[in-house]
Amino acid sequence: MGLAHRGMVAYGKFFAKKTGLVSREQYPDLANYRRNGCDFEARYEDGLASHKEKRVIDVLLREEPTPFKDLKRLVGFAKDGLKGFDTVIANLQMRTYITVHSFEHARDKFGRPYGWGVARYAVTEDVLGVDVTPTACSRSPEKSKTRILHHLGLLCPEAFDDELERLIR
């Protein structure tokens, strides 16, 4: 069982649409900054989230952790359906609404795993717990940004501030 599956870290496209890990301790500030204090429903109602993103969130809330291929089909992105699934998934991860729950492998006729693991996606709260995102909401998104940049500066002291800021934007 992986660290993400146990709720210790979030794994997903969080940094300039590149994959990385974020600890459970740092995630609330990243979510507060990226979401700008908005939950998904408020974001959608304000016209800041697309209908495609809403469909993904609705499926994940209903189905819980869902493999990539199944999610694509359930949302309507299958063969001749909607386009842009990878972009929608990346955007939802960047905004911290969804994350990778776990990976699973295809199995051969003897039950042995093979090939690359396929991601199972879930809403972030299903992976890290419902208490993870509200903990930073008492701070402004700007204060959360400052806290993230400070933490990253400790981890990467040789990085320039503008490089770190681009990373979390």
Side-chain angles (χ1 to χ4, degrees):
M1 182 184 313
L3 293 174
H5 185 66
R6 289 184 282 187
M8 298 172 73
V9 297
Y11 176 77
K13 292 185 177 184
F14 300 127
F15 305 106
K17 295 192 179 176
K18 304 285 189 253
T19 55
L21 297 168
V22 179
S23 71
R24 191 176 196 290
E25 293 74 32
Q26 298 302 315
Y27 202 88
D29 279 312
L30 182 65
N32 189 40
Y33 171 61
R34 290 273 181 77
R35 295 177 184 187
N36 199 21
C38 291
D39 67 5
F40 185 81
E41 288 300 321
R43 182 178 203 81
Y44 181 72
E45 288 171 11
D46 290 346
L48 300 173
S50 73
H51 183 66
K52 292 176 183 180
E53 291 171 338
K54 172 87 165 101
R55 289 173 73 164
V56 169
I57 294 294
D58 288 347
V59 167
L60 290 176
L61 289 172
R62 184 179 69 241
E63 301 291 327
E64 296 181 346
T66 307
F68 179 86
K69 223 163 52 171
D70 294 345
L71 183 58
K72 189 173 186 176
R73 180 183 47 77
L74 289 168
V75 174
F77 283 87
K79 213 185 258 183
D80 297 323
L82 300 169
K83 304 294 181 213
F85 184 69
D86 291 336
T87 301
V88 169
I89 294 299
N91 288 341
L92 287 170
Q93 288 177 84
M94 284 294 293
R95 290 193 196 110
T96 71
Y97 291 109
I98 69 172
T99 188
V100 174
H101 175 272
S102 57
F103 287 93
E104 57 188 46
H105 289 72
R107 298 198 175 268
D108 66 15
K109 65 181 179 179
F110 302 107
R112 295 179 301 222
Y114 70 92
W116 288 98
V118 176
R120 245 182 207 278
Y121 289 96
V123 292
T124 300
E125 290 74 8
D126 283 350
V127 175
L128 297 178
V130 293
D131 62 324
V132 75
T133 47
T135 58
C137 289
S138 62
R139 292 187 276 281
S140 71
E142 198 59 36
K143 177 67 176 167
S144 286
K145 175 185 171 186
T146 301
R147 290 169 53 95
I148 296 165
L149 290 173
H150 174 74
H151 180 73
L152 288 174
L154 294 173
L155 294 174
C156 307
E158 68 285 350
F160 294 108
D161 289 346
D162 62 327
E163 292 173 320
L164 296 176
E165 195 163 332
R166 263 195 317 270
L167 190 64
I168 67 163
R169 209 173 300 138

